[in-house]
Amino acid sequence: MKRKMIGVALGVSVSLAMTSVHPASADTLDQLHKQIKQVHKKKDAAKAEINQQKSKLDTVREHWNQAIQKMNELTNEISSTQHQITEKQSHIEQTQQKIDQLKKEIAATEKRIKRRNELLTERVRYMYKNGSSVPYIQVLLRAQSFGDLIDRVYALNLIVKQDKRLLDNQMADKKKLVAAEANVKKQLDSLQHQLNDLNHLKAQLHKKQQQQKALIQQLNSEKNQVQSNIRHQQEALKSIQSKLEKLKEQAEQQKRILASHRSSSSVVVAALRYHPISPEKLYAFVKNKGSAFSLNDIETICNVAKAYNVNPALMIAITGQELNFVQEGTPYEAMKLANPFDVFGSWALYHTTLAQSAAYAAEIIQVKLSVPPPAGEDPIIWINDLNNHAGLGVYATDRHWAYGVRTFFREIQAYVS
């Protein structure tokens, strides 16, 4: 029959109710030490991972700084190249102006040469029509004296030479202008090639700059990811540290409980103290009752009973009174098997493990039986007696609870004996 149980506690019981509890035994303490060792390994692994991630972060930051420096260098190089391009464009513009000016000068020179040729052509044509020597003879015949004749001959010769020299100079000027134009055009071609090279270099630098930007973005993403990994690992380390502290607290608690058990006889009624009972026999008994308990479950209850110096038959009897030994196929079977002692309200309210619920039940029994019952009162009835002020409250509010437990206890004792 199901009965509601109220927690009773001494100082130790209160602390047990507030933390995760294991049945107090040397085996349990060893298990806790093993868990602490495993958590220490996880802690060391988490620290190693954090250090590894921090080292990776340093490397990523170094690469990021190098990428930023390279980006700055490319920006400066692009700026310098653009400055050179601007200068070349200015030189090209000036050279083009020189070419235009030379073309104008060549055109003017050609115009003068053409005009001079026309004058000479007219003069030759006139001399041809009127005889080549007539004008010169007329000039000479008009001389007033021999000295005047000499002067006239010299003047005529000077005119012819001057015409020839002027024509030669004009032709030479034209050649110089043509040569200068060709030279300036050559300079212009050179400048244009240089400008093309600079534009090509600028395009390459822009391409490198875009690649560098992509690299910086990638490194930023890596940096953020590594920083996120470090934060997660640090949070995991805090969780591991918290778990480690709890396990250490539980281990210390187990030590205190074991020390307390060793320093006192606890249960004063000899018949209800712990004495070995074959788990196989107890398992056979509950199976005959249709129980879903496994042999491992029975062994767990026996280990807890030993740790608290409580008769295992009494522990099994309580599961019979509380949940009818948890029948196979019963609804919520797994939850009932985890709390067949109905500790702290009921199995439906308090979700725990079999070892923990058994530890709570055994401790309550131990506390209640640490005071001898009044003369003539059955010790099992004394467990739930309102006059039993050891601890706080009673195991169950049902006044008939202890009688049911006593019946099952006697039945179990008879079976295993």
Side-chain angles (χ1 to χ4, degrees):
M1 293 174 61
K2 180 180 176 181
R3 296 292 183 269
K4 183 176 180 180
M5 182 171 69
I6 300 175
V8 293
L10 293 174
V12 174
S13 301
V14 172
S15 63
L16 286 174
M18 298 301 291
T19 59
S20 177
V21 179
H22 301 272
S25 67
D27 291 340
T28 302
L29 189 57
D30 288 341
Q31 288 296 323
L32 284 171
H33 285 159
K34 289 179 181 178
Q35 290 183 42
I36 289 171
K37 188 175 181 180
Q38 291 173 353
V39 174
H40 266 300
K41 288 182 179 179
K42 290 182 179 179
K43 180 180 177 181
D44 292 340
K47 284 184 176 180
E49 179 64 22
I50 288 174
N51 290 334
Q52 183 180 356
Q53 291 294 323
K54 285 183 176 179
S55 177
K56 184 177 181 180
L57 180 61
D58 290 339
T59 301
V60 173
R61 280 175 173 167
E62 183 180 355
H63 291 167
W64 184 83
N65 289 331
Q66 292 173 354
I68 291 294
Q69 182 179 356
K70 182 65 176 178
M71 173 65 81
N72 292 335
E73 291 174 358
L74 286 171
T75 301
N76 293 335
E77 196 171 351
I78 289 173
S79 178
S80 174
T81 303
Q82 182 58 52
H83 179 69
Q84 295 179 53
I85 288 173
T86 302
E87 287 185 344
K88 293 299 179 185
Q89 288 174 336
S90 177
H91 291 165
I92 288 173
E93 185 178 347
Q94 293 173 5
T95 304
Q96 188 62 55
Q97 290 176 356
K98 286 182 182 179
I99 291 174
D100 294 341
Q101 182 62 33
L102 286 171
K103 285 182 177 180
K104 290 180 181 179
E105 292 179 6
I106 290 171
T109 301
E110 287 179 341
K111 187 176 181 181
R112 288 196 300 272
I113 291 172
K114 182 179 179 183
R115 180 59 183 159
R116 186 63 182 168
N117 284 337
E118 289 175 353
L119 291 174
L120 291 173
T121 301
E122 287 180 3
R123 183 181 296 175
V124 171
R125 188 183 298 115
Y126 177 78
M127 291 170 64
Y128 175 79
K129 288 181 180 180
N130 297 286
S132 60
S133 61
V134 174
Y136 294 102
I137 293 173
Q138 289 178 353
V139 171
L140 295 174
L141 291 176
R142 290 176 183 173
Q144 299 297 321
S145 63
F146 183 73
D148 185 28
L149 177 64
I150 295 300
D151 290 338
R152 286 176 181 266
V153 171
Y154 178 77
L156 288 173
N157 186 46
L158 187 62
I159 289 170
V160 172
K161 287 182 178 181
Q162 186 176 1
D163 285 343
K164 185 177 182 302
R165 186 170 57 253
L166 180 61
L167 186 59
D168 290 342
N169 289 340
Q170 287 177 338
M171 292 300 293
D173 289 341
K174 180 180 178 182
K175 287 181 180 179
K176 288 180 181 179
L177 290 172
V178 170
E181 181 186 22
N183 183 51
V184 174
K185 283 184 176 179
K186 188 176 180 181
Q187 293 178 16
L188 181 63
D189 289 341
S190 176
L191 288 171
Q192 191 63 53
H193 282 303
Q194 294 176 27
L195 179 62
N196 292 339
D197 290 342
L198 288 170
N199 282 325
H200 181 66
L201 174 61
K202 182 181 178 182
Q204 288 181 324
L205 291 172
H206 271 299
K207 185 178 180 180
K208 289 182 180 180
Q209 190 182 48
Q210 293 303 316
Q211 292 173 345
Q212 205 66 18
K213 285 181 179 178
L215 176 60
I216 290 173
Q217 290 178 350
Q218 177 186 343
L219 290 171
N220 269 331
S221 178
E222 289 183 18
K223 184 172 64 174
N224 292 335
Q225 182 60 50
V226 174
Q227 288 174 333
S228 177
N229 291 342
I230 290 174
R231 286 194 298 270
H232 290 161
Q233 286 296 329
Q234 288 173 337
E235 290 173 1
L237 183 60
K238 287 181 181 178
S239 177
I240 291 171
Q241 183 62 37
S242 176
K243 183 176 181 180
L244 183 61
E245 290 173 358
K246 288 180 180 178
L247 286 172
K248 287 180 178 179
E249 181 182 349
Q250 290 174 17
E252 288 299 320
Q253 186 180 77
Q254 291 294 309
K255 289 179 181 178
R256 290 195 299 270
I257 293 171
L258 287 173
S260 174
H261 290 169
R262 289 191 294 269
S263 63
S264 65
S265 61
S266 299
V267 177
V268 297
V269 179
L272 298 182
R273 289 179 191 160
Y274 175 80
H275 64 271
I277 299 178
S278 168
E280 287 77 9
K281 288 186 177 181
L282 292 172
Y283 175 65
F285 174 82
V286 296
K287 278 301 175 184
N288 287 336
K289 294 291 186 178
S291 173
F293 279 129
S294 67
L295 178 59
N296 185 63
D297 292 335
I298 299 301
E299 288 174 343
T300 298
I301 294 173
C302 288
N303 288 334
V304 174
K306 181 179 180 180
Y308 286 88
N309 195 23
V310 174
N311 191 318
L314 179 58
M315 296 287 290
I316 299 297
I318 292 174
T319 68
Q321 176 62 23
E322 289 293 337
L323 294 179
N324 195 23
F325 304 106
V326 184
Q327 297 296 295
E328 273 192 272
T330 184
Y332 306 104
E333 179 181 301
M335 294 174 64
K336 291 177 180 179
L337 285 172
N339 188 2
F341 299 93
D342 245 8
V343 294
F344 287 93
S346 76
W347 59 267
L349 299 176
Y350 185 68
H351 302 155
T352 180
T353 65
L354 176 59
Q356 289 176 326
S357 63
Y360 284 124
E363 187 175 18
I364 293 169
I365 294 169
Q366 183 192 62
V367 170
K368 287 295 185 180
L369 293 178
S370 64
V371 177
E377 184 168 356
D378 186 282
I380 295 178
I381 305 302
W382 173 240
I383 292 173
N384 211 48
D385 193 325
L386 290 174
N387 295 315
N388 188 343
H389 299 299
L392 299 173
V394 293
Y395 193 107
T397 55
D398 184 356
R399 294 296 85 207
H400 300 285
W401 176 86
Y403 296 95
V405 173
R406 185 177 62 179
T407 299
F408 282 125
F409 176 74
R410 290 173 178 174
E411 187 178 348
I412 293 169
Q413 287 285 69
Y415 183 86
V416 299
S417 298

